[in-house]
Amino acid sequence: MHDDLIARAKTWLTEDPDPETRDELSKLIEAGDVTELTDRFSGTLQFGTAGLRGELGAGPMRMNRSVVIRAAAGLAAYLNAKGQRGGLVVIGYDARHKSADFARDTAAVMTGAGLRAAVLPHPLPTPVLAYAIRHLGAVAGVEVTASHNPPRDNGYKVYLGDGSQIVPPADAEIAAEIDAIASLNDVPRPDSGWETLDESVLEAYLARTDAVLARRSARTARTVYTAMHGVGKDTLLAAFARAGFPEPVVVAEQAEPDPDFPTVAFPNPEEPGAMDLAFAQARATDPDLIIANDPDADRCAVAVKDGADWRMLRGDEVGALLAAHLVARGARGTFAESIVSSSLLGRIAEKAGLPYEETLTGFKWIARVEGLRYGYEEALGYCVDPGGVRDKDGITAALLITELASELKEQGRTLLDLLDDLAVEHGLHATDQLSVRVEDLSVIARAMEQLREQPPTELAGLAITKAEDLTQGTEELPPTDGLRYTLDGARVIVRPSGTEPKLKCYLEVVVPVATRADLPAAHATAADLLAAIKRDLSAAAGI
């Protein structure tokens, strides 16, 4: 077994085109580090509906040039098999370690396979790539990004010609083509022949961002902005300048792209501490709101002053605010969200007489809803211009929430006042998440198994009126690994994360509110219920 492992590592080494990972792997082989080699050669990174994502390093279980070249070759074979030979593939990338190398390798592979390749001119937000696919009439797009994962990770996201991310069965068909590649030596990789795009694609995207705002709307809200060491700053500032908003005050320590993300433990606005520098900047400059993008700028976080200090709005709160704003502006079309997001969106759509749909988690599903006008997911993802970008877009979402804050400011009101209005109108929809990060993935499998074998009958003293195992699928949803519990006045969904080693539990309670005077008591009731559901669910799952 040991000899076989060393032999596989040596074979991999002979094909690895990257001097850095070759050196890394040579040292592991020389040291006979069986533990580390076993970890890296225990399989291959699986290509799924999120594409690829993993830690950088040598070997098939890591993100590296060898793995990316295979993925690109598999995608090219898939496109050629679908009759797309000669079609255009657009490639974008963020500012993480190796992103530019992975983008260049992808362009070389596409060119060698008889497709045309075009690479965005420099690191840009993921929504610019999603926009470019349809703008340029491409047959596919690739974005090299690990979004908000830790610094040591990178990833590879694939879009098809409709401009939305792949869904089954395309993922499995591409994975099969990747598996069919025997050796990297079989993959032609010319040194040239692809195009590096100029700034005109970005200009076209920015021209499109204007369309999300109402003509002659108020544009007075003052913002503090953080790019979280990612690629959002220049695009967001350009969009805000075009729109005529006051120039955002930028959190300087996090403004420029830095693949090491030195000021945050995790470069995700939802993680504890990630927004501390933005809060400090806001205390010093007293803006109307704080806007944050994640590193590839497809997500948008919003924070507001609540009493004496600042707090992050939950993704569900921003999702409801944007929906209410679009309804007030007379938006028509379908409002959609994933099953883990707040049911408040359905209430808002119903009252406005608009069609509403729930999908599985991920914008790959939300973006495919027919007639989509607005879609959101609680993990800070908002699609406010589906005609331009069929994915979440943290730039246009930032524009739209700042427009809403401006309109409210003109009336002497805030985003929190509008949230209170929505609670009085539809009931207080309070959401929370129980998220458990694990080193060992078997912990997640065991928790799911325990919940299936011994399902809870009540949580927080509320009877479970309906328990659904989503692996079976429902009338509306294809099968997925998840559990959904409907309670009297609450809802819980439990699922393994698709992109991180986490078990995620999404909780929502709905507390009726008669008048604004009842809001403080309703918030207290909701907080108690959510805490009790968390406690009981942890016990039931054994986590």
Side-chain angles (χ1 to χ4, degrees):
M1 179 64 198
H2 181 159
D3 293 347
D4 174 53
L5 177 66
I6 299 291
R8 275 187 293 146
K10 283 181 171 169
T11 305
W12 184 272
L13 185 65
T14 61
E15 294 185 6
D16 188 340
D18 188 334
E20 276 183 51
T21 44
R22 269 208 312 276
D23 182 51
E24 186 187 317
L25 188 53
S26 297
K27 286 177 178 158
L28 291 173
I29 294 170
E30 276 167 40
D33 190 335
V34 174
T35 308
E36 192 62 29
L37 287 169
T38 302
D39 188 38
R40 290 159 184 254
F41 285 86
S42 59
T44 53
L45 273 188
Q46 287 305 301
F47 185 92
T49 46
L52 292 167
R53 207 179 278 188
E55 192 177 331
L56 290 162
M61 286 298 286
R62 296 285 185 273
M63 281 298 292
N64 51 61
R65 290 183 57 199
S66 299
V67 163
V68 164
I69 289 164
R70 285 172 184 275
L75 174 60
Y78 167 85
L79 293 169
N80 284 332
K82 294 284 183 204
Q84 307 281 20
R85 193 172 182 81
L88 175 67
V89 178
V90 195
I91 302 148
Y93 58 103
D94 67 10
R96 283 177 179 264
H97 293 296
K98 299 281 183 191
S99 286
D101 296 343
F102 295 167
R104 188 180 186 281
D105 282 332
T106 301
V109 171
M110 295 302 159
T111 305
L115 291 142
R116 289 181 300 127
V119 185
L120 292 181
H122 45 81
L124 282 165
T126 294
V128 177
L129 180 273
Y131 168 80
I133 294 165
R134 296 172 71 198
H135 176 66
L136 298 171
V139 296
V142 170
E143 176 71 19
V144 180
T145 180
S147 187
H148 56 280
N149 275 39
R152 63 179 184 272
D153 290 4
N154 212 330
Y156 198 81
K157 232 180 187 177
V158 176
Y159 297 75
L160 293 181
D162 62 356
S164 47
Q165 295 173 53
I166 54 167
V167 294
D171 56 343
E173 291 172 20
I174 295 167
E177 296 284 6
I178 295 170
D179 290 343
I181 293 151
S183 162
L184 282 197
N185 303 329
D186 303 337
V187 181
R189 301 200 307 280
D191 290 330
S192 61
W194 58 90
E195 181 187 357
T196 300
L197 295 163
D198 59 18
E199 299 294 323
S200 61
V201 169
L202 177 61
E203 278 305 310
Y205 167 82
L206 285 168
R208 175 93 200 184
T209 62
D210 300 353
V212 305
L213 302 173
R215 292 175 75 155
R216 293 189 289 282
S217 60
R219 313 259 167 111
T220 53
R222 291 165 41 254
T223 53
V224 157
Y225 171 71
T226 176
M228 205 80 40
H229 300 296
V231 299
K233 180 190 67 145
D234 292 349
T235 305
L236 182 126
L237 292 182
F240 269 57
R242 289 180 70 105
F245 286 113
E247 186 179 349
V249 175
V250 175
V251 177
E253 301 93 325
Q254 299 176 331
E256 298 308 320
D258 185 334
D260 294 318
F261 306 104
T263 67
V264 290
F266 286 95
N268 176 358
E270 292 180 294
E271 293 281 349
M275 296 288 286
D276 287 357
L277 288 169
F279 289 159
Q281 182 75 266
R283 289 179 199 117
T285 53
D286 198 34
D288 298 297
L289 71 164
I290 300 172
I291 299 282
N293 285 138
D294 67 337
D296 69 326
D298 62 351
R299 294 162 195 252
C300 174
V302 180
V304 293
K305 198 163 188 183
D306 190 0
D309 209 356
W310 289 80
R311 80 163 173 99
M312 270 269 289
L313 291 177
R314 299 193 69 85
D316 284 319
E317 291 176 309
V318 176
L321 287 168
L322 290 173
H325 183 43
L326 288 169
V327 164
R329 275 182 24 189
R332 308 308 300 160
T334 302
F335 279 32
E337 64 180 343
S338 61
I339 55 171
V340 298
S341 307
S342 169
S343 58
L344 178 55
L345 185 70
R347 307 263 174 105
I348 291 170
E350 186 184 13
K351 180 141 196 199
L354 295 173
Y356 162 78
E357 269 197 50
E358 271 191 327
T359 72
L360 292 183
T361 46
F363 266 80
K364 56 186 180 273
W365 299 108
I366 295 170
R368 286 185 155 72
V369 167
E370 208 156 304
L372 182 68
R373 173 60 187 86
Y374 168 64
Y376 98 91
E377 184 149 82
E378 56 70 48
L380 313 183
Y382 313 94
C383 173
V384 301
D385 175 27
V389 175
R390 283 198 187 164
D391 198 4
K392 52 188 180 292
D393 182 346
I395 306 293
T396 48
L399 287 170
L400 199 62
I401 198 75
T402 308
E403 177 186 60
L404 172 58
S406 300
E407 284 188 5
L408 291 164
K409 184 181 180 178
E410 299 299 295
Q411 302 161 21
R413 303 175 77 232
T414 67
L415 295 171
L416 292 178
D417 291 325
L418 181 52
L419 282 173
D420 286 348
D421 291 352
L422 292 170
V424 173
E425 191 174 354
H426 303 288
L428 174 65
H429 289 62
T431 56
D432 202 356
Q433 205 184 102
L434 173 64
S435 183
V436 185
R437 188 180 286 276
V438 298
E439 290 294 315
D440 176 4
L441 286 174
S442 70
V443 173
I444 293 176
R446 274 202 305 277
M448 294 298 288
E449 192 181 334
Q450 184 161 323
L451 287 170
R452 286 192 168 104
E453 286 176 1
Q454 301 166 331
T457 53
E458 62 165 46
L459 296 168
L462 301 174
I464 292 176
T465 55
K466 188 177 184 187
E468 297 167 278
D469 187 341
L470 299 176
T471 45
Q472 310 304 311
T474 69
E475 275 181 33
E476 298 79 32
L477 300 169
T480 187
D481 186 10
L483 299 164
R484 178 163 60 180
Y485 302 118
T486 306
L487 295 86
D488 194 14
R491 183 215 66 196
V492 173
I493 290 170
V494 185
R495 63 180 274 273
S497 167
T499 53
E500 297 176 273
K502 281 182 172 181
L503 180 68
K504 290 186 156 184
C505 311
Y506 304 84
L507 325 175
E508 178 177 48
V509 298
V510 183
V511 181
V513 180
T515 67
R516 288 181 90 84
D518 301 313
L519 277 166
H523 279 287
T525 301
D528 289 347
L529 276 171
L530 287 168
I533 291 173
K534 265 189 184 177
R535 185 194 61 227
D536 292 355
L537 188 61
S538 296
I543 49 176

